[in-house]
Amino acid sequence: MKPRTRIALALIAATLAVLGTGCSTVQAVRVQPWERGLLADSIMDPGRDALGSAMMEHVTSSREAAAGGQGVGGAGCGCN
Amino acid sequence: MVSARGNPTHEFYLPMKTARNLFLVLAALTLGSVSRAQVKVGDNFPAIKGAANEAVSQIDGKVAIVDFWASWCAPCKASFPAYARLYSVYAPKGLVIVAMSVDDDPTDYARFVKRFSPGFPVSLDQGHQLVRQVSVPTMPTCYVMDRGGRVRFIHAGYHGTATDDALQKEVELLLSEK
């Protein structure tokens, strides 16, 4: 077998392996519904502490000139 | 690489050990990526060995509901009073309910059961043996079986009174069948 043919065959085999074994984006890894206990934990919620979130928003707005970085009220009319 | 004649060649060389390891890795990936077939309406509910089998064996020859739940699943918790009502009304007529927990930690399961004391049989699917076979589409999911062990209705998720009403009608229908 010619070297080019071998390389081509190897590339085809590698492509098939990638596409057929879950390594492609088409068949992405999916966390099964019964495996989501850790994801459902409250520790995974970044907004679980409302007071802490408000404080951090105030700090980033006032000390780091990031006012509006967390979202602002109003719809662009300038009335807020 | 140099050939016997002394000319350089471009042989595609792969050591046997490497080839074997590559094959094993690809085989493992292939097996791992094979999507499990979900249990569908008309299928027989799978039988398994182990502790969960004792709970599921109760459904043999009975109209049954097998519900998959977890202590971390809020809709599952919301569905428990409805199952308790259903069980209190239809258990004397022959309905069996088995609620299988898919909790990873048995202590979470035990704590939940102790706290909420559901009024129907619950069991722990240790190691996710059963739920892997059934391959539930979401949490919670319940399977309603006829006396022949065939899945007749599936409810993915809990949708309050809509699910309650549907379950009641389905149970009455299956209990009326001979």
Side-chain angles (χ1 to χ4, degrees):
Chain A
M1 195 182 289
K2 289 181 180 178
R4 279 189 181 178
T5 313
R6 288 189 179 192
I7 290 169
L9 281 175
L11 283 175
I12 290 168
T15 308
L16 286 175
V18 166
L19 291 175
T21 57
C23 299
S24 65
T25 52
V26 177
Q27 197 178 9
V29 174
R30 179 172 180 258
V31 179
Q32 298 296 340
W34 58 89
E35 296 171 337
R36 297 177 188 170
L38 286 176
L39 296 175
D41 196 294
S42 64
I43 199 86
M44 300 296 280
D45 179 10
R48 65 188 178 282
D49 180 7
L51 192 62
S53 298
M55 191 198 77
M56 284 310 296
E57 190 173 343
H58 173 73
V59 168
T60 51
S61 297
S62 60
R63 304 291 294 275
E64 298 181 15
Q70 307 268 352
V72 292
C77 61
C79 48
N80 281 318
Chain B
M1 183 175 281
V2 178
S3 71
R5 291 180 181 176
N7 299 325
T9 64
H10 301 282
E11 290 287 326
F12 185 75
Y13 176 71
L14 197 63
M16 184 57 82
K17 196 175 177 183
T18 309
R20 189 194 65 193
N21 290 342
L22 186 64
F23 173 76
L24 289 174
V25 167
L26 288 176
L29 285 171
T30 306
L31 288 174
S33 68
V34 170
S35 58
R36 294 179 185 87
Q38 286 184 352
V39 169
K40 294 185 176 61
V41 171
D43 293 347
N44 285 321
F45 200 74
I48 59 159
K49 294 176 181 175
N53 186 43
E54 291 174 21
V56 176
S57 65
Q58 298 171 30
I59 71 174
D60 288 345
K62 306 249 177 74
V63 173
I65 293 174
V66 177
D67 175 51
F68 289 92
W69 64 279
S71 61
W72 44 262
C73 164
C76 306
K77 205 186 296 181
S79 71
F80 270 36
Y83 285 122
R85 281 195 298 274
L86 210 60
Y87 191 70
S88 65
V89 173
Y90 293 103
K93 297 174 184 173
L95 174 70
V96 173
I97 294 181
V98 179
M100 300 296 297
S101 165
V102 299
D103 276 300
D104 293 321
D105 190 349
T107 53
D108 289 341
Y109 159 78
R111 197 181 302 126
F112 184 92
V113 171
K114 188 179 178 185
R115 184 175 173 193
F116 293 99
S117 56
F120 48 89
V122 293
S123 185
L124 178 64
D125 182 19
Q126 280 190 334
H128 298 158
Q129 289 181 66
L130 182 59
V131 76
R132 279 179 201 280
Q133 284 195 47
V134 176
S135 193
V136 299
T138 189
M139 293 292 295
T141 296
C142 84
Y143 297 82
V144 187
M145 267 81 67
D146 61 19
R147 291 189 176 93
R150 203 153 50 95
V151 175
R152 295 284 294 274
F153 305 98
I154 297 172
H155 292 273
Y158 178 67
H159 308 288
T161 51
T163 305
D164 298 349
D165 294 345
L167 278 172
Q168 189 174 346
K169 283 176 189 167
E170 290 157 10
V171 167
E172 283 180 359
L173 171 73
L174 296 180
L175 285 172
S176 69
E177 291 179 355
K178 296 295 177 189

